[in-house]
């Protein structure tokens, strides 16, 4: 399987700028060492993931019920876990 994006053209970008899906298994510990695990860095990662989710499923021109239903299903599973602590 060919690597994604510009990597397929033979250009290697720095390891710190690659996405997780573009990192090979042997490079994973080095890639993780370049990540920012401070509270500010973790908050930035959560915000980036939320914005990506919203842009992919919520803020679309021809939206469907998929994004909202996934959010509601996640809430139902989370509240079920809160109610039944033995699980």
């Amino acid at each position: 399987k060919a690597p994604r994006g510009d990597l397929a053209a033979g250009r290697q970008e720095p390891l710190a700028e690659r996405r997780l899906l573009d990192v090979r298994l042997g490079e994973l510990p080095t890639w993780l060492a370049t990540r920012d695990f401070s509270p500010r860095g973790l908050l930035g990662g959560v915000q980036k993931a939320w914005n990506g989710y919203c842009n992919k499923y919520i803020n679309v021109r021809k939206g469907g019920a998929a994004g909202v239903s996934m959010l509601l299903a996640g809430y139902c599973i989370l509240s079920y876990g809160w109610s039944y602590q033995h699980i």
Side-chain angles (χ1 to χ4, degrees):
K1 184 175 175 183
R4 303 172 140 206
D6 290 336
L7 296 177
R11 289 185 282 161
Q12 289 288 330
E13 56 190 27
L15 186 60
E17 296 177 6
R18 291 189 204 166
R19 297 181 336 172
L20 177 60
L21 293 176
D22 295 334
V23 177
R24 293 188 176 158
L25 191 57
E27 299 170 335
L28 188 60
T30 308
W31 182 82
L32 283 172
T34 63
R35 302 289 100 194
D36 183 13
F37 289 109
S38 67
R40 181 180 222 160
L42 292 175
L43 182 62
V46 169
Q47 285 177 341
K48 185 175 180 182
W50 176 254
N51 287 337
Y53 171 80
C54 284
N55 289 335
K56 187 171 183 178
Y57 293 108
I58 306 295
N59 302 330
V60 292
R61 192 169 292 216
K62 291 183 179 180
V68 176
S69 62
M70 282 194 307
L71 199 62
L72 289 175
Y75 174 73
C76 290
I77 291 171
L78 191 64
S79 65
Y80 184 82
W82 285 333
S83 299
Y84 300 99
Q85 305 252 337
H86 65 278
I87 296 179

